[in-house]
Amino acid sequence: MSVWALLVAAGTGERLGADRPKAFVGLHGRPLLAESLERLDASRWVDAVVVAAPPGWEEPAILLAEELAVTKVAACVTGGATRADSVRAALAEVPEDAAVVLVHDAARPLLTDGVIERVLAPLAQGWDGAVPALPLADTVKRVLGDAVVETVARDELAAAQTPQAFVASVLREAYAGDLAGATDCASLVEARGGRVKIVEGDPRLLKITTTADLELVESWL
Ligand code: C5P
């Protein structure tokens, strides 16, 4: 069973206020992308990796892979305008005979083999996909502008992370359709009636959005 990992790294990361895309902002003296790329490459569960780089940053991404001496990068594609477009571009590089596709945000550097194992396991039990998620600590309100519309039952909510794993054919079908509004892969699979399992997430898989997030993740390294 071959597992292909798509590492989406094409976001601009405007909220970091850096002079370069988020994937190339420094984390412990290396581009952020290096951390997840190295971890995916080292994972015994992953056979090949496709990187979606920001437009104009394909060359630096390839050079980084060479510097890290990673061996599983099969392709580096140009990312799209949205995350979903970047996933679609990377998915086009996955061969027909791949069994499973794992999709991971480069913005979540602290990937572990444990979480990869947790999202892959349900696929062998007939699930179409699996997503790591964390319970919500805060009470969640549905709002319209600054007015509360309602309070949502917290025990029915979970915050989804990546890596997300899917049966390859299911993900391909999901990405053949309309991608509008999709902020993760699972939502597209769910919209087509796919069965997606929630598995235990990892607080250290925090998605880096702000400088404070970057400092926090750096302190965990
Ligand atoms: O924008 P957001 O933080 O949700 O991005 C999540 C992941 O998707 C990041 O790793 C980012 O690099 C990637 N992304 C992408 N192409 C885009 C936007 C985001 O690959 N156009």
Side-chain angles (χ1 to χ4, degrees):
M1 186 183 88
S2 71
V3 177
W4 279 62
L6 314 183
L7 183 55
V8 287
T12 54
E14 269 161 32
R15 279 167 289 186
L16 275 177
D19 61 351
R20 58 194 61 204
K22 179 156 59 183
F24 290 90
V25 163
L27 179 76
H28 247 239
R30 311 196 298 177
L32 179 67
L33 175 62
E35 198 63 40
S36 49
L37 185 55
E38 208 169 57
R39 287 168 183 245
L40 278 175
D41 193 74
S43 171
R44 65 192 180 101
W45 302 106
V46 173
D47 296 300
V49 180
V50 180
V51 178
W57 289 79
E58 304 84 352
E59 190 81 26
I62 292 166
L63 286 175
L64 176 66
E66 283 172 7
E67 263 173 48
L68 296 171
V70 291
T71 57
K72 295 180 186 169
V73 177
C76 176
V77 300
T78 308
T82 65
R83 181 189 188 277
D85 291 326
S86 297
V87 173
R88 181 182 268 167
L91 193 55
E93 297 295 322
V94 176
E96 274 306 314
D97 62 358
V100 169
V101 179
L102 192 75
V103 187
H104 185 61
D105 294 336
R108 303 178 193 271
L110 301 190
L111 180 63
T112 64
D113 246 14
V115 75
I116 294 176
E117 196 172 349
R118 289 203 289 282
V119 291
L120 290 178
L123 305 188
Q125 299 158 359
W127 293 84
D128 294 313
V131 171
L134 295 176
L136 296 173
D138 296 319
T139 296
V140 179
K141 311 283 186 191
R142 191 183 309 283
V143 297
L144 205 58
D146 56 5
V148 172
V149 176
E150 64 170 334
T151 300
V152 187
R154 191 170 58 188
D155 56 0
E156 290 181 4
L157 298 173
Q161 303 178 312
T162 74
Q164 300 188 349
F166 303 92
V167 171
S169 56
V170 170
L171 194 65
R172 273 189 227 280
E173 263 174 46
Y175 274 82
D178 182 17
L179 306 181
T183 53
D184 77 348
C185 299
S187 58
L188 293 169
V189 171
E190 294 151 26
R192 298 180 69 93
R195 291 174 65 244
V196 178
K197 184 172 186 183
I198 289 290
V199 302
E200 187 191 347
D202 183 345
R204 296 200 170 200
L205 272 172
L206 177 74
K207 184 166 76 174
I208 293 179
T209 308
T210 63
T211 313
D213 298 333
L214 194 63
E215 284 164 9
L216 186 58
V217 168
E218 213 154 39
S219 75
W220 289 336
L221 258 177

